[in-house]
Amino acid sequence: MARFRKVLTRFDDYRSMLSDRVRMDAYRRAIASVVQPGDTVVDLGAGLGILSMLAVRAGASKVWAIEQGDAAGLARRLIEHNGLSDRIELIEDNSKQVTLPQPADVLLSETLGSFAVDENTLDFTLDARQRLLKPGGAMIPLGLQLFLAPVELPEAHASVDFWREVEGFDFSPAIDELQSRMSLSTIAPRALLARALSYADVDLGCHDAAALQGKLLFELERKGTLHGLGGWFRATLCEGVAISTAPDDAPTHWQQAFFPFRTPIEVVRGDYLEVTLAIGPKAEHSDDTVVSYDYRCTQLAAEASTPPKVGRNDACPCGSGKKHKRCCG
């Protein structure tokens, strides 16, 4: 039964992706624009093979569709059922282990998570660009721009609070594990506490690092409770075709990413939030990523009144979750 539920959930994910009109319309237009008759294509993380099929429709003479997940068997059957086995070759393996008889004209991929790079996208794309694509070959997507903003999300943060105590036992170390990941959430524009800032702008044609790290400083624009960071992306698939998952754009199956803070912070207009966030591969051949982030926040409302006495071993009032002596003490 557990295996059945896992497989069912996985194919529900594919249904969400295939029924996402924003995603499908953009990729269909990009493939039709970039893939030329006679081109060879490598489809990285092919899933059920729909992008490979669209590449053939655009005129590709050969597509190497690489997929190592549960979907590979069904993808093979779908390719055969549609009479495309002579033009689409499904390779069931990790792309880093794959060699091709010749480099492809086009590198096609949709290995995007809710924060774009959280499926180890950069690592796999970099490897495929260097080994599986002709020098100067075309790429879909061309680039990724990632955005972050402080957010007020009490319901999403409730999953963090749950782990503080279970049946009278202290389960708070689970919060550290939760903070090394990100979760999906639907973030409404009204949940933002400050204007979003660009965290990274990645040109996939020349980017040469598998990890990202950056520091941002936000000026909070309204009073509220700060629960963490919201993240989203803009993917430029080709010239004139892009996908945006911003809160004020058309909804997609990606929703938005949520990076929770250990403890909610009461803030007012004029407070500053400094965030350092790093995201990179969990392991060499893994689809998973590791996220780490530190943050400091001023608390003008508290500073305007008589400040409470904070011991050196107490939690720092900036909300970082660290002891005061190791943070602002």
Side-chain angles (χ1 to χ4, degrees):
M1 181 63 72
R3 170 65 177 168
F4 176 76
R5 283 199 297 267
K6 179 180 178 181
V7 172
L8 184 61
T9 300
R10 180 63 171 163
F11 285 103
D12 281 347
D13 290 342
Y14 283 114
R15 179 179 177 178
S16 296
M17 288 187 283
L18 294 174
S19 61
D20 183 339
R21 300 320 308 171
V22 173
R23 172 188 185 266
M24 293 306 303
D25 289 347
Y27 266 92
R28 183 177 61 253
R29 288 189 289 129
I31 290 169
S33 174
V34 172
V35 176
Q36 301 301 308
D39 276 352
T40 57
V41 177
V42 58
D43 183 0
L44 195 64
L48 296 182
I50 185 62
L51 301 186
S52 295
M53 296 178 190
L54 289 173
V56 169
R57 179 185 290 175
S61 60
K62 177 72 175 185
V63 179
W64 291 285
I66 304 174
E67 174 58 52
Q68 67 169 349
D70 295 335
L74 179 56
R76 193 184 307 278
R77 300 204 322 263
L78 290 169
I79 291 166
E80 292 173 354
H81 183 73
N82 284 275
L84 299 175
S85 297
D86 60 330
R87 297 171 72 181
I88 302 175
E89 178 181 342
L90 192 133
I91 303 174
E92 193 170 351
D93 203 347
N94 185 293
S95 65
K96 288 190 169 186
Q97 305 297 325
V98 171
T99 57
L100 300 179
Q102 64 190 58
D105 297 301
V106 180
L107 172 59
L108 169 64
S109 68
E110 198 283 79
T111 55
L112 302 174
S114 291
F115 197 50
V117 298
D118 46 288
E119 294 184 4
N120 212 356
T121 302
L122 297 181
D123 195 18
F124 285 107
T125 302
L126 171 61
D127 174 75
R129 188 190 75 208
Q130 292 176 336
R131 297 190 308 106
L132 307 179
L133 181 66
K134 289 179 180 178
M139 298 180 66
I140 303 173
L142 290 172
L144 303 170
Q145 191 173 13
L146 313 182
F147 298 90
L148 289 170
V151 292
E152 185 171 37
L153 289 178
E155 293 182 2
H157 196 273
S159 62
V160 177
D161 290 329
F162 170 82
W163 292 105
R164 297 191 187 281
E165 181 180 314
V166 178
E167 295 291 337
F169 295 98
D170 184 356
F171 265 51
S172 59
I175 297 175
D176 296 327
E177 177 65 22
L178 185 64
Q179 287 191 294
S180 70
R181 304 170 183 269
M182 48 136 276
S183 60
L184 273 66
S185 185
T186 297
I187 299 175
R190 65 178 179 276
L192 274 60
L193 291 167
R195 181 174 58 88
L197 299 178
S198 176
Y199 167 71
D201 198 345
V202 181
D203 182 342
L204 293 172
C206 61
H207 188 79
D208 60 1
L212 295 173
Q213 180 169 329
K215 179 181 289 188
L216 295 174
L217 181 65
F218 299 93
E219 182 176 3
L220 303 186
E221 298 176 348
R222 67 174 177 86
K223 180 180 180 180
T225 303
L226 173 59
H227 291 106
L229 298 169
W232 56 90
F233 67 87
R234 177 181 173 83
T236 300
L237 302 188
C238 69
E239 186 175 354
V241 181
I243 296 171
S244 173
T245 64
D248 55 354
D249 282 318
T252 71
H253 80 281
W254 284 289
Q255 301 175 268
Q256 287 83 36
F258 176 52
F259 303 96
F261 287 177
R262 174 180 281 271
T263 303
I265 306 170
E266 298 301 321
V267 296
V268 297
R269 179 183 176 89
D271 271 322
Y272 283 91
L273 172 68
E274 181 185 79
V275 175
T276 301
L277 184 144
I279 183 166
K282 184 174 184 179
E284 184 178 359
H285 297 299
S286 172
D287 291 348
D288 295 329
T289 55
V290 175
V291 180
S292 61
Y293 46 100
D294 292 316
Y295 49 91
R296 293 187 179 191
C297 187
T298 61
Q299 292 179 282
L300 296 177
E303 293 169 7
S305 60
T306 302
K309 184 176 181 180
V310 180
R312 285 174 52 76
N313 289 314
D314 292 342
C316 189
C318 76
S320 67
K322 299 178 181 178
K323 290 185 178 180
H324 183 51
K325 66 182 179 182
R326 296 187 179 278
C327 190
C328 299

